[in-house]
Amino acid sequence: MEKVGLYHFVAEPYLTDFRGRVTLPMIGNYLIHAASGHAGERGFGFNDMSERHTAWVLSRLAIEMREYPAAFEEICLYTWIDEVGRLFTGRCFELTDGRGKTFGFARSIWAAIDVETRRPTLLDGEALGAYITDRPCPIEKPGKIAPAESRSEGIPYTIKYSDLDINGHFNSVKYIEHLLDLFAIDQFREGEIGRFEIAYQSEGKQGMPLTLHKAEAAPGKYDLAICHEGKAICRAAATWR
Amino acid sequence: MEKVGLYHFVAEPYLTDFRGRVTLPMIGNYLIHAASGHAGERGFGFNDMSERHTAWVLSRLAIEMREYPAAFEEICLYTWIDEVGRLFTGRCFELTDGRGKTFGFARSIWAAIDVETRRPTLLDGEALGAYITDRPCPIEKPGKIAPAESRSEGIPYTIKYSDLDINGHFNSVKYIEHLLDLFAIDQFREGEIGRFEIAYQSEGKQGMPLTLHKAEAAPGKYDLAICHEGKAICRAAATWR
């Protein structure tokens, strides 16, 4: 089995934003689809993990887009493992149009949790390690994100049916959607997000009253957070251009 | 070219709801994907319509599900045209597992609007009519929906970046998502929606202050609406079982 997996998508016109461009949450869906396919085909997918009472949990994600795919454009998404530690593994992505143009890159960090205790479990370093490759992913790793919650009021939000994933937790991609919706629509008319990164800190659940936070850290650079009772369940950062 | 089109999907586990079942908005995406593919392959798709400065607009949609596909289940989605009028055409759908089980059926009504005036244009009855077939679709057509807005307070809602489609209007599937989110999460734990129908009345746009309405019409039967300045831009109905 190849170390690098390749998955194909077409930017559906009815799923793009008002600019006719694929959205960051949709790119998040593509990345998870590819990650899930790549892992499944190599013996450590959703079902393999379930058999061991474990599940992959996305811990951090950074996406850098040079250009957002337009409606009807083909997307060739490459994914590969770049490192495997005791508790975390790194997975990289490159999005291209299959004809020489790179749309962007992404980096993600995953943990395998025990489905009962919800605590991280030791990774099978041997199985995963066999697929490590040093294919370049020329973007910075997900880093430390300053707390937006200490510098902004916060907009109350209640978790709804459409926010919940198969485990009954706040869907990873929905976090991104709600955070982007903190920006005025016109900001997407005048510019676009060059880099978006997010760190998932604890699981959002039904009934948790949340607050959504946005604080400008520098011109065009925003720190974001989703908090429960004042404590961040996720932090994110968006850099506009 | 066959009159009936067939499209394949797999229920992605990371896109299901907390029950591990495909959601109605996701089914909406599947239906639109199939409608768009079926039309495009037969010469009256998005690009063909664009060339004539027209676009398809979904006017009404009714979905009846006997069973919601579970994670990893294959979905074979059949779509065909059942009628063509002067201004509206009907398109039906059947969702199966490809092995004899029918998950559900859907019926939709579409208009072709002029992209400048946003008014309906005359349909090309000859081109569309060539594909009419009488394959059975044993569910009721979308019908009249009582106004929920006169019987409920309404929850204020502001259109956000992620709500807008490629035309800068409220995305058809996002209407469904926001209306379903009016129901408490626990209602989806105790039951499920057998039939959902929606009538799109006018286009939601950036900056429109909206209100979301839900009124119980009979036990387990709800009328829903999204209003702008007291006037419905869409009405919907959900029947639970």
Side-chain angles (χ1 to χ4, degrees), chain A residues 162 174 177 181 189 206, chain B residues 162 174 177 181 189 206:
Chain A
S162 68
K174 278 284 180 178
E177 189 180 303
D181 280 341
R189 216 177 289 280
Q206 179 185 356
Chain B
S162 68
K174 278 285 179 175
E177 189 181 301
D181 281 340
R189 216 177 289 280
Q206 179 186 354

Side-chain angles (χ1 to χ4, degrees), chain A residues 12 14-18 29 32-33 46 72 160-162 165-166 171 174 177 181 186 189 206, chain B residues 12 14-18 29 32-33 46 72 161-162 165-166 171 174 177 181 186 188-189 206:
Chain A
E12 304 278 2
Y14 56 88
L15 291 177
T16 68
D17 66 9
F18 69 85
N29 280 331
I32 292 172
H33 177 97
F46 185 95
F72 294 114
K160 301 184 172 69
Y161 164 69
S162 68
D165 68 11
I166 192 169
N171 181 302
K174 278 284 180 178
E177 189 180 303
D181 280 341
D186 286 335
R189 216 177 289 280
Q206 179 185 356
Chain B
E12 304 277 3
Y14 57 90
L15 291 177
T16 68
D17 67 8
F18 69 85
N29 280 331
I32 292 173
H33 176 98
F46 185 95
F72 295 112
Y161 164 70
S162 68
D165 68 11
I166 192 168
N171 180 301
K174 278 285 179 175
E177 189 181 301
D181 281 340
D186 286 336
F188 292 91
R189 216 177 289 280
Q206 179 186 354

